[in-house]
Coordinates of all heavy atoms in Angstrom, one line a residue:
M1345 N 151.2 80.9 91.2 CA 150.0 80.1 91.6 C 148.7 80.8 91.2 O 148.6 82.0 91.5 CB 150.1 79.8 93.1 CG 149.0 78.9 93.5 SD 149.0 78.6 95.3 CE 150.4 77.6 95.4
K1346 N 147.8 80.2 90.6 CA 146.6 80.8 90.1 C 145.5 80.5 91.2 O 145.4 79.5 91.7 CB 146.2 80.1 88.8 CG 144.8 80.5 88.3 CD 145.0 81.7 87.3 CE 143.7 81.9 86.6 NZ 142.9 82.9 87.2
N1347 N 144.6 81.6 91.4 CA 143.5 81.4 92.3 C 142.4 80.5 91.7 O 142.3 80.5 90.5 CB 142.9 82.8 92.7 CG 142.5 83.6 91.5 OD1 143.3 83.8 90.6 ND2 141.3 84.1 91.6
K1348 N 141.6 79.8 92.5 CA 140.6 78.9 92.0 C 139.3 79.6 91.6 O 138.6 79.2 90.7 CB 140.2 77.9 93.1 CG 141.2 76.8 93.4 CD 140.5 75.9 94.5 CE 141.4 74.8 94.8 NZ 140.8 73.9 95.9
Y1349 N 139.0 80.7 92.3 CA 137.7 81.3 92.1 C 137.9 82.8 91.6 O 138.9 83.3 91.8 CB 136.9 81.3 93.5 CG 136.9 79.9 94.1 CD1 137.4 79.7 95.4 CD2 136.4 78.8 93.4 CE1 137.5 78.4 95.9 CE2 136.5 77.5 94.0 CZ 137.0 77.4 95.2 OH 137.0 76.1 95.8
S1350 N 136.8 83.3 91.1 CA 136.9 84.7 90.5 C 135.8 85.6 91.0 O 134.8 85.2 91.6 CB 136.6 84.5 89.0 OG 137.6 83.6 88.4
I1351 N 136.1 86.9 90.8 CA 135.1 87.9 91.2 C 133.8 87.6 90.4 O 133.8 87.3 89.2 CB 135.6 89.3 90.9 CG1 136.8 89.6 91.8 CG2 134.5 90.4 91.0 CD1 137.5 90.9 91.4
G1352 N 132.7 87.7 91.1 CA 131.4 87.4 90.5 C 130.9 86.0 90.7 O 129.7 85.7 90.4
D1353 N 131.7 85.1 91.2 CA 131.3 83.7 91.4 C 130.2 83.7 92.5 O 130.3 84.4 93.5 CB 132.4 82.8 91.8 CG 133.4 82.4 90.7 OD1 133.0 82.8 89.5 OD2 134.4 81.8 90.9
L1354 N 129.2 82.9 92.2 CA 128.1 82.8 93.2 C 128.4 81.8 94.3 O 128.9 80.7 94.0 CB 126.8 82.3 92.4 CG 125.5 82.2 93.2 CD1 125.1 83.6 93.7 CD2 124.4 81.6 92.3
V1355 N 128.1 82.2 95.5 CA 128.4 81.3 96.7 C 127.1 81.2 97.5 O 126.4 82.1 97.7 CB 129.5 82.0 97.6 CG1 129.9 81.2 98.7 CG2 130.7 82.4 96.8
W1356 N 126.9 80.0 98.1 CA 125.8 79.7 99.0 C 126.4 79.4 100.4 O 127.3 78.6 100.6 CB 125.1 78.4 98.5 CG 124.0 78.0 99.5 CD1 124.0 76.9 100.3 CD2 122.8 78.6 99.7 NE1 122.9 76.8 101.0 CE2 122.1 77.8 100.7 CE3 122.1 79.8 99.3 CZ2 120.8 78.2 101.2 CZ3 120.9 80.1 99.7 CH2 120.2 79.3 100.7
D1357 N 125.9 80.2 101.4 CA 126.3 80.0 102.8 C 125.4 79.0 103.5 O 124.2 79.3 103.6 CB 126.4 81.3 103.5 CG 127.0 81.2 104.9 OD1 126.3 80.6 105.8 OD2 128.2 81.5 105.1
K1358 N 125.9 77.9 103.9 CA 125.1 76.9 104.5 C 124.6 77.3 105.9 O 123.5 76.8 106.4 CB 125.9 75.5 104.6 CG 126.2 75.0 103.2 CD 126.9 73.7 103.3 CE 128.4 73.9 103.5 NZ 129.2 72.6 103.5
S1359 N 125.3 78.1 106.6 CA 124.9 78.5 108.0 C 123.7 79.5 107.9 O 122.7 79.4 108.6 CB 126.0 79.2 108.7 OG 127.0 78.2 109.0
Y1360 N 123.9 80.6 107.1 CA 122.9 81.7 107.0 C 121.8 81.4 106.0 O 120.9 82.2 105.9 CB 123.6 83.0 106.7 CG 124.3 83.5 107.9 CD1 125.7 83.5 108.0 CD2 123.7 84.1 109.0 CE1 126.4 84.0 109.0 CE2 124.4 84.6 110.1 CZ 125.7 84.5 110.1 OH 126.4 85.0 111.2
Q1361 N 122.0 80.3 105.2 CA 121.0 80.1 104.1 C 120.9 81.3 103.2 O 119.8 81.8 103.0 CB 119.7 79.6 104.7 CG 119.8 78.4 105.5 CD 120.0 77.1 104.7 OE1 119.2 76.8 103.9 NE2 121.1 76.5 104.9
S1362 N 122.0 81.8 102.7 CA 122.0 83.0 101.9 C 123.0 82.9 100.8 O 124.0 82.2 100.8 CB 122.5 84.1 102.9 OG 122.6 85.3 102.2
F1363 N 122.6 83.6 99.7 CA 123.5 83.7 98.5 C 124.4 84.9 98.6 O 124.0 85.9 99.2 CB 122.7 83.8 97.2 CG 122.1 82.5 96.7 CD1 120.8 82.3 96.9 CD2 122.9 81.6 96.2 CE1 120.2 81.1 96.4 CE2 122.4 80.4 95.7 CZ 121.0 80.1 95.8
G1364 N 125.6 84.8 98.0 CA 126.5 85.9 98.0 C 127.4 85.8 96.8 O 127.3 84.8 96.0
I1365 N 128.2 86.8 96.5 CA 129.2 86.7 95.4 C 130.6 87.1 95.9 O 130.7 87.8 96.9 CB 128.8 87.6 94.3 CG1 128.7 89.1 94.7 CG2 127.5 87.2 93.6 CD1 128.6 90.1 93.6
I1366 N 131.6 86.7 95.2 CA 132.9 87.1 95.5 C 133.1 88.5 94.9 O 132.8 88.7 93.7 CB 133.9 86.1 94.9 CG1 133.8 84.7 95.6 CG2 135.4 86.6 95.0 CD1 134.7 83.6 95.0
T1367 N 133.5 89.4 95.8 CA 133.7 90.8 95.3 C 135.2 91.2 95.2 O 135.4 92.2 94.5 CB 133.0 91.8 96.3 OG1 133.6 91.6 97.6 CG2 131.5 91.5 96.4
E1368 N 136.1 90.5 95.8 CA 137.5 90.8 95.7 C 138.3 89.6 96.0 O 138.0 88.8 96.8 CB 137.8 91.9 96.7 CG 139.2 92.4 96.6 CD 139.5 93.6 97.6 OE1 138.6 94.1 98.3 OE2 140.7 94.0 97.7
V1369 N 139.4 89.4 95.2 CA 140.3 88.3 95.4 C 141.7 88.9 95.7 O 142.2 89.8 95.1 CB 140.5 87.5 94.1 CG1 141.5 86.4 94.3 CG2 139.1 87.0 93.6
I1370 N 142.3 88.4 96.8 CA 143.6 89.0 97.2 C 144.6 87.8 97.4 O 144.3 86.7 97.8 CB 143.5 89.8 98.5 CG1 143.1 89.0 99.7 CG2 142.6 91.0 98.3 CD1 143.4 89.7 101.0
E1371 N 145.8 88.1 97.1 CA 146.9 87.2 97.4 C 147.4 87.4 98.8 O 147.8 88.6 99.2 CB 148.0 87.5 96.4 CG 149.1 86.4 96.3 CD 150.1 86.7 95.2 OE1 149.9 87.7 94.4 OE2 150.9 85.8 95.0
S1372 N 147.4 86.4 99.6 CA 147.7 86.5 101.0 C 149.2 86.8 101.2 O 150.0 86.2 100.5 CB 147.3 85.2 101.7 OG 147.7 85.3 103.1
N1373 N 149.6 87.6 102.1 CA 151.0 87.9 102.4 C 151.3 87.7 103.8 O 152.3 88.2 104.3 CB 151.4 89.3 101.9 CG 150.6 90.4 102.5 OD1 149.7 90.1 103.4 ND2 150.9 91.6 102.2
D1374 N 150.4 87.0 104.5 CA 150.6 86.8 106.0 C 151.3 85.4 106.2 O 151.7 84.7 105.3 CB 149.3 86.9 106.8 CG 148.3 85.8 106.4 OD1 148.7 84.9 105.7 OD2 147.2 86.0 106.8
F1375 N 151.5 85.1 107.4 CA 152.2 83.9 107.8 C 151.6 82.6 107.2 O 152.2 81.6 107.1 CB 152.4 83.7 109.3 CG 151.1 83.4 110.0 CD1 150.8 82.1 110.4 CD2 150.2 84.4 110.3 CE1 149.6 81.8 111.0 CE2 149.0 84.2 111.0 CZ 148.7 82.8 111.3
K1376 N 150.3 82.6 107.0 CA 149.6 81.4 106.5 C 149.8 81.2 105.0 O 149.4 80.1 104.5 CB 148.1 81.5 106.8 CG 147.8 81.5 108.3 CD 146.3 81.6 108.5 CE 145.9 81.6 109.9 NZ 144.4 81.7 110.1
S1377 N 150.3 82.1 104.3 CA 150.3 82.0 102.8 C 151.1 80.9 102.3 O 150.9 80.5 101.1 CB 150.7 83.4 102.2 OG 152.1 83.6 102.5
E1378 N 152.0 80.3 103.1 CA 152.8 79.2 102.6 C 152.1 77.9 102.7 O 152.5 76.9 102.2 CB 154.2 79.2 103.3 CG 155.0 80.4 103.0 CD 156.3 80.4 103.7 OE1 156.7 79.3 104.3 OE2 157.0 81.4 103.7
N1379 N 151.0 77.9 103.4 CA 150.2 76.7 103.6 C 149.2 76.5 102.5 O 148.5 77.5 102.2 CB 149.5 76.7 105.0 CG 150.5 76.7 106.1 OD1 151.5 76.0 106.1 ND2 150.2 77.5 107.2
P1380 N 148.9 75.3 102.0 CA 147.9 75.2 101.0 C 146.6 75.6 101.5 O 146.2 75.4 102.6 CB 147.9 73.6 100.7 CG 149.2 73.2 101.2 CD 149.6 74.1 102.4
G1381 N 145.8 76.3 100.6 CA 144.5 76.8 101.0 C 144.5 78.2 101.6 O 143.4 78.7 101.8
F1382 N 145.6 78.7 102.0 CA 145.7 80.0 102.6 C 146.4 81.0 101.7 O 146.6 82.2 102.1 CB 146.4 80.0 104.0 CG 145.6 79.2 105.0 CD1 146.0 77.9 105.3 CD2 144.6 79.8 105.7 CE1 145.3 77.2 106.3 CE2 143.9 79.1 106.6 CZ 144.2 77.8 106.9
Y1383 N 146.8 80.6 100.5 CA 147.5 81.6 99.6 C 146.6 82.6 99.0 O 147.0 83.8 98.9 CB 148.2 80.8 98.5 CG 149.2 81.6 97.7 CD1 150.4 81.8 98.2 CD2 148.9 82.1 96.5 CE1 151.4 82.5 97.6 CE2 149.8 82.9 95.8 CZ 151.0 83.1 96.3 OH 152.0 83.8 95.7
W1384 N 145.3 82.3 98.8 CA 144.4 83.2 98.2 C 143.3 83.5 99.2 O 142.8 82.6 99.9 CB 143.7 82.7 96.9 CG 144.7 82.6 95.8 CD1 145.4 81.5 95.4 CD2 145.2 83.7 95.0 NE1 146.3 81.8 94.4 CE2 146.2 83.1 94.1 CE3 145.0 85.0 95.0 CZ2 146.9 83.9 93.2 CZ3 145.7 85.8 94.0 CH2 146.6 85.2 93.2
G1385 N 142.8 84.8 99.3 CA 141.7 85.2 100.1 C 140.6 85.8 99.3 O 140.9 86.4 98.3
Y1386 N 139.4 85.7 99.8 CA 138.2 86.2 99.0 C 137.3 87.0 100.0 O 137.0 86.6 101.1 CB 137.4 85.0 98.5 CG 138.3 84.1 97.6 CD1 139.0 83.1 98.1 CD2 138.3 84.4 96.2 CE1 139.8 82.3 97.2 CE2 139.1 83.6 95.3 CZ 139.8 82.6 95.9 OH 140.6 81.8 95.0
Y1387 N 136.9 88.2 99.5 CA 135.9 88.9 100.2 C 134.5 88.5 99.5 O 134.4 88.5 98.3 CB 136.1 90.4 100.0 CG 137.2 90.9 101.0 CD1 138.5 91.0 100.5 CD2 136.9 91.2 102.3 CE1 139.5 91.5 101.4 CE2 137.9 91.6 103.2 CZ 139.1 91.8 102.7 OH 140.1 92.2 103.6
L1388 N 133.6 88.2 100.4 CA 132.3 87.7 100.0 C 131.2 88.7 100.4 O 131.2 89.1 101.6 CB 132.0 86.3 100.5 CG 133.1 85.3 100.3 CD1 132.8 84.1 101.2 CD2 133.1 84.9 98.9
R1389 N 130.3 89.1 99.5 CA 129.2 89.9 99.9 C 127.9 89.1 99.9 O 127.6 88.4 98.9 CB 129.1 91.0 98.8 CG 127.9 92.0 99.0 CD 128.1 92.9 100.2 NE 127.0 93.8 100.2 CZ 126.7 94.5 101.3 NH1 127.5 94.4 102.4 NH2 125.7 95.4 101.3
W1390 N 127.2 89.1 101.0 CA 126.0 88.3 101.2 C 124.8 89.1 101.1 O 124.7 90.3 101.5 CB 126.1 87.6 102.6 CG 127.3 86.8 102.7 CD1 128.4 87.1 103.4 CD2 127.5 85.5 102.2 NE1 129.4 86.1 103.3 CE2 128.8 85.1 102.5 CE3 126.8 84.6 101.3 CZ2 129.4 83.9 102.1 CZ3 127.3 83.4 100.9 CH2 128.6 83.1 101.3
F1391 N 123.7 88.5 100.5 CA 122.5 89.2 100.3 C 121.3 88.6 101.0 O 120.3 88.2 100.4 CB 122.2 89.2 98.8 CG 123.3 89.8 98.0 CD1 124.2 89.1 97.3 CD2 123.4 91.2 98.0 CE1 125.3 89.7 96.6 CE2 124.5 91.8 97.3 CZ 125.4 91.0 96.6
G1392 N 121.4 88.4 102.3 CA 120.3 87.9 103.1 C 119.5 89.0 103.7 O 119.5 90.1 103.1
E1393 N 118.9 88.8 104.8 CA 118.0 89.8 105.4 C 118.9 91.0 105.9 O 118.5 92.2 105.8 CB 117.3 89.3 106.7 CG 116.2 88.3 106.3 CD 115.5 87.8 107.6 OE1 115.5 88.5 108.6 OE2 115.0 86.6 107.5
V1394 N 120.1 90.7 106.3 CA 121.1 91.8 106.7 C 122.3 91.6 105.8 O 123.2 90.8 106.1 CB 121.4 91.7 108.2 CG1 122.4 92.8 108.6 CG2 120.2 91.8 109.1
P1395 N 122.4 92.4 104.7 CA 123.6 92.2 103.9 C 124.9 92.5 104.7 O 125.0 93.4 105.5 CB 123.4 93.2 102.8 CG 122.0 93.6 102.8 CD 121.5 93.4 104.3
F1396 N 125.9 91.7 104.4 CA 127.2 92.0 105.0 C 128.3 91.4 104.1 O 128.1 90.6 103.2 CB 127.3 91.4 106.4 CG 127.3 89.9 106.5 CD1 128.4 89.1 106.6 CD2 126.1 89.2 106.4 CE1 128.4 87.8 106.7 CE2 126.0 87.8 106.5 CZ 127.2 87.1 106.6
T1397 N 129.6 91.8 104.4 CA 130.7 91.3 103.7 C 131.7 90.6 104.7 O 131.8 91.0 105.8 CB 131.5 92.5 103.1 OG1 130.6 93.1 102.2 CG2 132.7 92.0 102.3
N1398 N 132.2 89.5 104.3 CA 133.2 88.8 105.1 C 134.4 88.3 104.3 O 134.3 88.3 103.1 CB 132.6 87.7 106.0 CG 132.3 86.4 105.2 OD1 131.7 86.5 104.2 ND2 132.7 85.3 105.7
F1399 N 135.4 87.9 105.0 CA 136.6 87.4 104.3 C 136.8 85.9 104.6 O 136.6 85.4 105.7 CB 137.9 88.1 104.9 CG 139.2 87.6 104.3 CD1 139.6 88.1 103.1 CD2 139.9 86.7 105.0 CE1 140.8 87.7 102.6 CE2 141.1 86.2 104.5 CZ 141.6 86.7 103.3
E1400 N 137.1 85.1 103.5 CA 137.4 83.7 103.7 C 138.6 83.3 102.9 O 138.9 83.8 101.8 CB 136.2 82.9 103.1 CG 134.9 83.0 103.9 CD 134.9 82.3 105.2 OE1 135.8 81.5 105.5 OE2 134.0 82.6 106.0
Y1401 N 139.4 82.4 103.5 CA 140.5 81.8 102.7 C 140.0 80.8 101.8 O 138.9 80.2 102.0 CB 141.5 81.2 103.7 CG 142.4 82.2 104.4 CD1 142.2 82.5 105.7 CD2 143.4 82.9 103.7 CE1 143.0 83.4 106.4 CE2 144.2 83.8 104.3 CZ 144.0 84.1 105.7 OH 144.8 85.0 106.3
E1402 N 140.7 80.5 100.8 CA 140.3 79.5 99.7 C 140.0 78.1 100.4 O 139.1 77.4 99.9 CB 141.5 79.3 98.8 CG 141.1 78.6 97.5 CD 142.2 78.7 96.5 OE1 143.2 78.0 96.6 OE2 142.1 79.6 95.6
I1403 N 140.7 77.8 101.4 CA 140.4 76.5 102.1 C 139.0 76.3 102.6 O 138.5 75.3 102.8 CB 141.5 76.2 103.2 CG1 141.5 74.7 103.6 CG2 141.2 77.1 104.4 CD1 142.7 74.4 104.4
N1404 N 138.3 77.5 102.9 CA 137.0 77.5 103.5 C 135.9 77.6 102.4 O 134.7 77.7 102.8 CB 136.8 78.7 104.5 CG 137.8 78.5 105.6 OD1 138.1 77.4 106.1 ND2 138.3 79.6 106.1
I1405 N 136.2 77.5 101.2 CA 135.3 77.5 100.1 C 135.4 76.3 99.2 O 136.5 75.9 98.9 CB 135.5 78.8 99.2 CG1 135.4 80.1 100.0 CG2 134.5 78.8 98.0 CD1 135.8 81.3 99.3
D1406 N 134.3 75.7 98.9 CA 134.2 74.4 98.1 C 133.3 74.6 96.9 O 132.4 75.4 97.0 CB 133.7 73.2 99.0 CG 134.6 73.0 100.2 OD1 135.8 72.8 100.0 OD2 134.0 72.9 101.3
K1407 N 133.6 73.8 95.9 CA 132.6 73.7 94.8 C 131.5 72.7 95.1 O 131.8 71.6 95.6 CB 133.4 73.3 93.5 CG 134.2 74.4 93.0 CD 134.7 74.0 91.6 CE 135.5 75.2 91.0 NZ 135.3 75.4 89.6
H1408 N 130.3 73.1 94.7 CA 129.2 72.1 94.8 C 129.4 71.0 93.8 O 129.9 71.3 92.7 CB 127.9 72.8 94.5 CG 126.7 72.0 94.8 ND1 126.2 71.0 94.0 CD2 125.8 72.1 95.8 CE1 125.2 70.5 94.5 NE2 124.9 71.1 95.6
P1409 N 129.2 69.7 94.2 CA 129.5 68.6 93.3 C 128.7 68.6 92.0 O 129.2 68.1 91.0 CB 129.2 67.4 94.2 CG 128.4 67.8 95.3 CD 128.7 69.3 95.5
D1410 N 127.5 69.1 92.0 CA 126.6 69.1 90.8 C 126.3 70.4 90.2 O 126.1 70.5 89.0 CB 125.3 68.4 91.2 CG 125.5 67.0 91.8 OD1 126.4 66.3 91.3 OD2 124.7 66.6 92.7
K1411 N 126.2 71.4 91.0 CA 125.8 72.7 90.5 C 127.0 73.7 90.2 O 128.0 73.5 90.8 CB 124.8 73.4 91.4 CG 123.6 72.5 91.7 CD 122.7 73.2 92.7 CE 121.4 72.2 92.9 NZ 120.6 72.6 94.0
N1412 N 126.8 74.7 89.4 CA 127.8 75.7 89.2 C 127.7 76.7 90.3 O 127.3 77.8 90.1 CB 127.6 76.3 87.8 CG 128.7 77.2 87.4 OD1 129.8 77.1 88.0 ND2 128.5 78.1 86.5
L1413 N 128.1 76.3 91.5 CA 127.9 77.1 92.7 C 129.0 76.8 93.7 O 129.5 75.6 93.7 CB 126.6 76.6 93.3 CG 126.1 77.3 94.6 CD1 125.7 78.7 94.3 CD2 124.9 76.5 95.1
L1414 N 129.4 77.7 94.4 CA 130.4 77.5 95.5 C 129.7 77.5 96.8 O 128.6 78.0 97.0 CB 131.4 78.7 95.5 CG 132.2 78.9 94.2 CD1 133.1 80.1 94.3 CD2 133.0 77.7 93.9
L1415 N 130.3 76.8 97.8 CA 129.7 76.6 99.1 C 130.7 77.2 100.2 O 131.9 77.0 100.1 CB 129.5 75.2 99.4 CG 128.6 74.4 98.4 CD1 128.5 73.0 98.7 CD2 127.1 75.0 98.5
S1416 N 130.1 77.8 101.2 CA 130.9 78.3 102.3 C 130.0 78.1 103.6 O 128.8 78.0 103.5 CB 131.2 79.8 102.1 OG 131.8 80.3 103.3
E1417 N 130.6 78.1 104.7 CA 129.9 77.9 106.0 C 130.5 78.9 107.0 O 131.4 78.6 107.6 CB 129.9 76.5 106.5 CG 129.0 76.3 107.6 CD 128.7 74.8 107.8 OE1 129.3 73.9 107.1 OE2 127.8 74.5 108.6
T1418 N 129.8 80.1 107.1 CA 130.2 81.1 108.0 C 129.9 80.7 109.4 O 128.8 80.1 109.6 CB 129.5 82.4 107.6 OG1 129.8 82.7 106.3 CG2 130.0 83.6 108.5
I1419 N 130.7 81.0 110.3 CA 130.4 80.7 111.7 C 129.4 81.7 112.2 O 129.8 82.9 112.3 CB 131.7 80.6 112.6 CG1 132.6 79.5 112.1 CG2 131.3 80.4 114.1 CD1 134.0 79.6 112.7
P1420 N 128.2 81.3 112.6 CA 127.2 82.3 113.0 C 127.4 82.8 114.5 O 127.2 82.0 115.4 CB 125.9 81.6 112.8 CG 126.2 80.2 112.9 CD 127.6 80.0 112.5
F1421 N 127.8 84.0 114.7 CA 127.8 84.5 116.1 C 127.3 85.9 116.1 O 126.8 86.5 115.3 CB 129.1 84.5 116.8 CG 130.4 84.5 116.1 CD1 131.5 85.1 116.8 CD2 130.7 84.1 114.9 CE1 132.8 85.1 116.3 CE2 132.0 84.1 114.3 CZ 133.0 84.6 115.0

C-alpha cells in the first residue's frame, strides 16, 4: 500500500492558523494499522508563533479542493 502524502508537502492547520510541512512518514504497526486511514502516519512541523511537531494519521489529513495544499485540524489544548 502506497502512502498518499510525502515529506515536504505543505499543510495548513485550521485550528492554529499556521503552516507546516510533513517531516517524516511512517508505516503504522499498531493495532489501528488494519483500518483504512490508520496505515500511514505523518510527523508535521508547524511554523507558528511557537513551532512544534505533532503526529497525525492519514485519516486526519485532507487535500484542499482547489489549492496544492493539505489541511489538518489539530485539537488545541
Side-chain angles (χ1 to χ4, degrees):
M1345 182 181 291
K1346 175 95 171 89
N1347 57 307
K1348 284 185 183 178
Y1349 312 121
S1350 302
I1351 293 174
D1353 284 353
L1354 185 63
V1355 184
W1356 175 253
D1357 187 285
K1358 296 183 274 184
S1359 297
Y1360 287 107
Q1361 300 289 298
S1362 176
F1363 281 105
I1365 61 168
I1366 294 175
T1367 58
E1368 187 176 351
V1369 180
I1370 63 165
E1371 191 171 3
S1372 180
N1373 60 359
D1374 63 12
F1375 70 97
K1376 295 181 178 179
S1377 65
E1378 293 179 12
N1379 297 319
F1382 291 102
Y1383 193 79
W1384 293 100
Y1386 301 87
Y1387 282 95
L1388 308 166
R1389 177 73 175 163
W1390 301 102
F1391 301 103
E1393 290 181 28
V1394 181
F1396 68 98
T1397 300
N1398 75 310
F1399 177 84
E1400 294 288 347
Y1401 284 106
E1402 191 168 82
I1403 197 167
N1404 298 325
I1405 303 172
D1406 298 310
K1407 286 193 175 215
H1408 190 282
D1410 302 325
K1411 300 177 182 171
N1412 188 19
L1413 180 70
L1414 301 175
L1415 302 172
S1416 178
E1417 191 161 5
T1418 305
I1419 299 171
F1421 28 153

